[in-house]
Amino acid sequence: MINTICYFFSFLVEAIILWQYSSHLFPTKHSPQRKFVVLCSLYFILFCVSLSELIWLNIILYFLLNFIFFMTQCYLNWYTAVFHSSILTAVMTMSELIVYGITKRFAPHFLDNGRKFYHLLFFSVFSKLIFFVVAYILMHLMQNPKKTKEKYDKSVFLLVFIPLTSIFITFTFISIGESVSLPSSLDWMIVVGAVFLLTANLLMFEINQYHQKKNMEFTEMQLLLQKESDLAQYYKMLHAQNENQRILIHDIKKHLQSIDMLNEQKEYAKISAYIRQLSLSSDLKESSRLCEHEML
């Protein structure tokens, strides 16, 4: 029963990390609801098999089910899915080995204590915190540089300080438990506090992702409004240009009619004077000279 609760908690956190990892790096094929159902189904299988406590079987199955999730829910080719499944499997395994080594080095009797449930659950929280930190860093390191430049800045790495602080607090709890014999009620409080720490870290990441998404949507809306404003200004200028052309065409017709009338009356001197007057008018004065060719 003790191992069952710890396994359930561990796989729940690993499923949340996988969800965030895949959503952060890859476009999704299906709706979030369908993705959620597939993720729960795969990790339920993993949870059931883990009860056999066969370590190598659990690791291999963890890799295979992550691969299936990437292939069915994300737009990835098979070798990219293998790559990311391998990374997550390696990080998950190393995080547990790191925590096991730390506890054996600094608290050799931590996992041998009679109140195993508290310590096993605490061990799970500690290892998943490290898993979360490494996965969070990898998400930002492996993201497309162009996409990262558009959506994120280097300040996201400052958020790593929060899970690192949580790891230090968790290690402090372990040291206290090794050095001082604590009552059962206080053991419970420490374990629940560690679970809350891990939950806060996961929520922090999710809230940060939510704000990044909202900021991106706001930026896109601002760009769209600017584009609409530019289009409105352009159409306004186009309308003014058409109006000026209409006036110019109207004036040219009147001038041609006047010149034609003078031509019928053979008033050639008046025609020359009229053309000279038009040439010297302010409306026809050149604004700039591009070359020495008089006709141009």
Side-chain angles (χ1 to χ4, degrees), residues 185-217:
S185 59
L186 193 55
D187 264 344
W188 262 111
M189 292 176 66
I190 290 177
V191 172
V192 171
V195 173
F196 283 161
L197 267 179
L198 180 57
T199 305
N201 279 269
L202 297 173
L203 288 177
M204 175 273 301
F205 178 84
E206 190 61 34
I207 291 171
N208 177 65
Q209 292 298 104
Y210 175 79
H211 284 298
Q212 292 282 6
K213 181 180 178 182
K214 289 299 179 182
N215 288 338
M216 190 63 184
E217 291 176 354

Side-chain angles (χ1 to χ4, degrees), residues 56-255:
W56 284 108
L57 178 61
N58 293 337
I59 293 175
I60 294 172
L61 192 61
Y62 179 84
F63 168 81
L64 290 177
L65 294 182
N66 282 347
F67 173 77
I68 293 172
F69 179 80
F70 281 130
M71 288 298 296
T72 57
Q73 302 304 309
C74 303
Y75 287 102
L76 290 176
N77 47 47
W78 68 269
Y79 45 87
T80 305
V82 168
F83 173 75
H84 287 280
S85 299
S86 302
I87 286 179
L88 288 179
T89 304
V91 172
M92 184 274 297
T93 306
M94 286 187 294
S95 65
E96 294 188 354
L97 289 176
I98 288 171
V99 173
Y100 183 79
I102 290 174
T103 53
K104 280 298 182 182
R105 172 65 178 82
F106 296 98
H109 304 294
F110 181 76
L111 296 178
D112 300 330
N113 193 286
R115 296 185 293 271
K116 285 179 93 174
F117 172 72
Y118 311 108
H119 292 232
L120 286 175
L121 186 58
F122 206 85
F123 175 86
S124 299
V125 172
F126 198 2
S127 63
K128 298 317 163 191
L129 267 173
I130 294 178
F131 185 20
F132 169 72
V133 172
V134 178
Y136 180 82
I137 294 173
L138 289 176
M139 280 183 244
H140 292 281
L141 290 179
M142 292 191 296
Q143 185 148 18
N144 186 296
K146 183 177 179 181
K147 185 177 180 182
T148 304
K149 185 178 180 181
E150 293 175 353
K151 294 180 62 177
Y152 303 97
D153 53 41
K154 293 181 180 179
S155 64
V156 296
F157 290 101
L158 297 177
L159 295 175
V160 178
F161 176 77
I162 297 175
L164 288 177
T165 303
S166 301
I167 291 174
F168 177 79
I169 294 172
T170 306
F171 183 69
T172 302
F173 285 162
I174 291 177
S175 300
I176 293 173
E178 180 69 13
S179 304
V180 181
S181 179
L182 300 174
S184 177
S185 59
L186 193 55
D187 264 344
W188 262 111
M189 292 176 66
I190 290 177
V191 172
V192 171
V195 173
F196 283 161
L197 267 179
L198 180 57
T199 305
N201 279 269
L202 297 173
L203 288 177
M204 175 273 301
F205 178 84
E206 190 61 34
I207 291 171
N208 177 65
Q209 292 298 104
Y210 175 79
H211 284 298
Q212 292 282 6
K213 181 180 178 182
K214 289 299 179 182
N215 288 338
M216 190 63 184
E217 291 176 354
F218 178 76
T219 302
E220 290 175 352
M221 185 179 297
Q222 291 294 100
L223 291 175
L224 184 61
L225 290 175
Q226 183 63 42
K227 182 179 179 180
E228 292 294 331
S229 176
D230 293 341
L231 284 175
Q233 187 68 21
Y234 169 75
Y235 286 124
K236 184 177 179 181
M237 293 173 60
L238 189 62
H239 176 73
Q241 182 181 3
N242 290 336
E243 185 66 19
N244 292 334
Q245 287 180 345
R246 187 186 65 80
I247 295 173
L248 179 61
I249 292 172
H250 176 269
D251 292 343
I252 288 176
K253 286 182 178 179
K254 293 298 182 181
H255 292 315

Side-chain angles (χ1 to χ4, degrees), residues 285-291:
K285 282 186 177 180
E286 60 185 51
S287 58
S288 62
R289 189 176 186 86
L290 302 179
C291 65

Side-chain angles (χ1 to χ4, degrees), residues 262-280:
L262 292 174
N263 184 57
E264 289 179 355
Q265 297 174 0
K266 300 185 184 302
E267 299 286 350
Y268 301 119
K270 291 183 179 181
I271 291 174
S272 298
Y274 191 78
I275 292 175
R276 192 177 304 109
Q277 181 184 357
L278 289 175
S279 300
L280 296 176

